[in-house]
Amino acid sequence: MDDATVPPTAGTHGTRTAGTHAPAPAAPAAAPGPHAALLARHRAVTPAWLATYYREPIEVTHGEGRHVWDAEGRRYLDFFGGILTTMTAHALPEVTKAVAEQAGRILHTSTLYLSTPMVELCERIADLSGIPDAKVFLTTSGTEANDAALLLATAYRRSNQVVALRNSYHGRSFTTVGITGNTAWSPTSLSPLQTLYVHGGVRTRGPFAHLDDAAFTAACVADLEDLLGQAEGTVAALIAEPVQGVGGFTSGPDGLLAAFKEVLDRHGILWISDEVQTGWGRTGDHFWGWQAHAAAGPPDILTFAKGVGNGLSMGGVVARAEVMDCLGANSISTFGGSPVTTAGALANLRYLLENDLQGNARTTGALILDRLRAAAPGLPVIREVRGRGLMIGVELVERDGGPSARAAAAALEHARERGLLVGKGGRHGNALRIAPPLSLTAAEAEEGAGLLVQALREADREVGGKEQTP
């Protein structure tokens, strides 16, 4: 019954008027769930600028294969791998066994002592790098690797001038922020470096977007030539991601960096290839991103991190011996080349190579790209589906064509609700980033692509689209 039909009720103080109620006892407040309780503690002790995903952030407590579980028991298909870091699989037995065995022997020594796992890993990476007479220095992150590469290049060339690409991201340290061309990730204009920015990182936006690939490359090369003509004195290096990661998985045409290298070589300028996200076969077609630009040969310096450790804190720099050995002062690394991380990375790299995960990235990535591109014409929110291998970007826009960060945020939420984790990026935060572990199965690729299409349909409705047919 509604209130108007409630009959009078007798009580100790007479009758109650129809439509009125005695106050109900207050229900006890529900205790916050594990995620809400942890979020409150997180916010109390960590910086306000430490970003988290989702309106209600989650804690990922364990994983297996391509799946993870949160603290409240929900299972997710992982299409982001902790920012492209879980390269092979969660809880890969070969890696966990190698880590446990090494931890049972010794956890730490530092580079002041010889280490068999460190030397074996450096030998393997030097051989795989494609750089002649290569030497390797191990670090604990991609930021630190890029920082070390800049130290080598500026010391070798005796210059603090660096060329970087617009829309780039190279790390969060003071030095790497100074060469980051994506202002959304550059919190200060102060820098020890003088940085010059060149076109070429984004193919489908900007003043050269209307050109075909050959003309686009020529225009970017002319821009580089003009930039170097205006630089005073010596330029140390050009640093570039073959595919821009935080920038939203954008890139120039194949061969662009090779065309740049021809210019650099004439000036004696070093080329640093930032392979923190593109390395280890993720792009499917190539083991390193620079190999899409191989006409001019390998880079002078290559940096790596993320996937090689499969979650262990691992990064590094590869350079030809002449460049690597140029430093005149003492230097060591306390944690770079740790016995535990190098043992785990060796096992991870061995598994990757023995199981042709690069080839798997090519085939399963093509499946996801095909599924997303087939759905795109019916979803005005999608401006572009791009990428190669298991490094796929989906750029989202408003109805007027402007970047839509709200659509990306909505798609991220709807994907999570359906049991799929993806990332986002781009200068305006409007690109989804899809980068599963490279052992992804065809069935999981189909499942994840289907869930993502559903999430994109929801995001499209939220920016003004009509109901879409399933």
Side-chain angles (χ1 to χ4, degrees):
M1 291 184 284
D2 60 27
D3 283 350
T5 58
V6 174
T9 303
T12 55
H13 295 91
T15 59
R16 178 165 62 86
T17 306
T20 66
H21 297 278
H35 289 150
L38 185 58
L39 177 61
R41 293 166 58 196
H42 172 94
R43 287 176 173 165
V45 295
T46 63
W49 42 260
L50 194 62
T52 55
Y53 275 167
Y54 310 119
R55 287 187 297 268
E56 298 177 359
I58 63 174
E59 179 186 15
V60 175
T61 57
H62 61 287
E64 183 178 349
R66 278 70 52 195
H67 290 87
V68 295
W69 284 259
D70 70 20
E72 296 180 359
R74 284 209 62 186
R75 178 177 180 262
Y76 303 91
L77 180 57
D78 186 3
F79 264 35
F80 199 40
I83 320 178
L84 293 83
T85 300
T86 305
M87 178 170 72
T88 49
H90 291 281
L92 185 70
E94 290 82 351
V95 172
T96 55
K97 179 175 183 286
V99 168
E101 289 179 352
Q102 180 59 53
R105 290 191 291 269
I106 190 166
L107 283 169
H108 176 71
T109 59
S110 92
T111 57
L112 291 171
Y113 303 92
L114 295 177
S115 167
T116 296
M118 183 183 79
V119 172
E120 288 182 354
L121 181 63
C122 289
E123 288 172 339
R124 198 71 186 268
I125 291 172
D127 183 59
L128 289 166
S129 73
I131 296 174
D133 194 25
K135 289 192 173 184
V136 181
F137 174 68
L138 297 179
T139 68
T140 60
S141 70
T143 289
E144 190 188 347
N146 283 331
D147 199 79
L150 292 168
L151 173 64
L152 292 172
T154 54
Y156 183 80
R157 293 280 290 162
R158 297 188 178 278
S159 167
N160 75 333
Q161 292 190 92
V162 175
V163 178
L165 270 61
R166 299 183 184 198
N167 196 53
S168 59
Y169 175 84
H170 298 287
R172 57 169 177 77
S173 69
F174 186 52
T175 304
T176 54
V177 162
I179 58 163
T180 287
N182 184 332
T183 55
W185 291 88
S186 183
T188 177
S189 62
L190 301 175
S191 175
L193 302 170
Q194 181 184 359
T195 307
L196 311 169
Y197 292 100
V198 68
H199 285 287
V202 181
R203 178 66 185 89
T204 61
R205 286 193 184 273
F208 307 145
H210 63 288
L211 302 173
D212 64 27
D213 283 354
F216 180 96
T217 298
C220 292
V221 168
D223 184 43
L224 176 62
E225 294 269 25
D226 180 65
L227 200 66
L228 296 177
Q230 297 181 48
E232 292 190 15
T234 301
V235 172
L238 177 143
I239 184 168
E241 304 158 274
V243 178
Q244 294 185 326
V246 172
F249 292 174
T250 65
S251 66
D254 286 358
L256 173 65
L257 298 179
F260 278 179
K261 189 174 188 298
E262 292 181 5
V263 177
L264 301 176
D265 286 348
R266 289 202 306 270
H267 293 270
I269 298 169
L270 302 178
W271 170 26
I272 304 170
S273 185
D274 179 345
E275 302 275 356
V276 169
Q277 298 196 30
T278 49
W280 319 110
R282 177 163 289 282
T283 63
D285 293 332
H286 306 287
F287 194 76
W288 303 107
W290 70 260
Q291 291 170 322
H293 310 268
D300 300 287
I301 303 174
L302 177 153
T303 62
F304 62 87
K306 291 192 181 289
V308 66
N310 206 46
L312 297 165
S313 185
M314 166 68 68
V317 184
V318 189
R320 65 178 193 269
E322 178 188 12
V323 176
M324 185 66 83
D325 293 340
C326 76
L327 301 183
N330 291 329
S331 190
I332 66 162
S333 180
T334 303
F335 294 106
S338 153
V340 170
T341 58
T342 50
L346 268 169
N348 190 51
L349 189 53
R350 190 177 299 117
Y351 183 89
L352 173 100
L353 295 169
E354 290 176 354
N355 291 276
D356 187 24
L357 295 194
Q358 177 184 334
N360 190 63
R362 182 169 55 250
T363 56
T364 54
L367 190 158
I368 296 170
L369 278 166
D370 287 347
R371 183 73 179 271
L372 292 174
R373 285 172 174 157
L379 294 169
V381 74
I382 298 178
R383 177 181 181 270
E384 182 181 18
V385 177
R386 55 184 177 243
R388 55 177 61 190
L390 288 175
M391 195 172 185
I392 299 167
V394 183
E395 184 178 340
L396 305 182
V397 291
E398 298 286 341
R399 287 297 183 265
D400 63 3
S404 183
R406 69 177 179 132
L412 204 74
E413 292 284 353
H414 291 303
R416 184 197 62 77
E417 290 165 3
R418 286 166 170 74
L420 178 71
L421 303 184
V422 298
K424 65 185 180 74
R427 168 65 185 84
H428 303 283
N430 66 311
L432 298 182
R433 299 163 70 196
I434 296 100
L438 304 191
S439 59
L440 187 76
T441 68
E444 289 164 345
E446 287 279 8
E447 177 191 359
L451 294 171
L452 186 56
V453 168
Q454 294 175 29
L456 286 164
R457 288 193 177 113
E458 290 294 330
D460 186 70
R461 280 192 278 268
E462 291 187 21
V463 296
K466 295 180 181 179
E467 189 79 13
Q468 302 292 326
T469 303

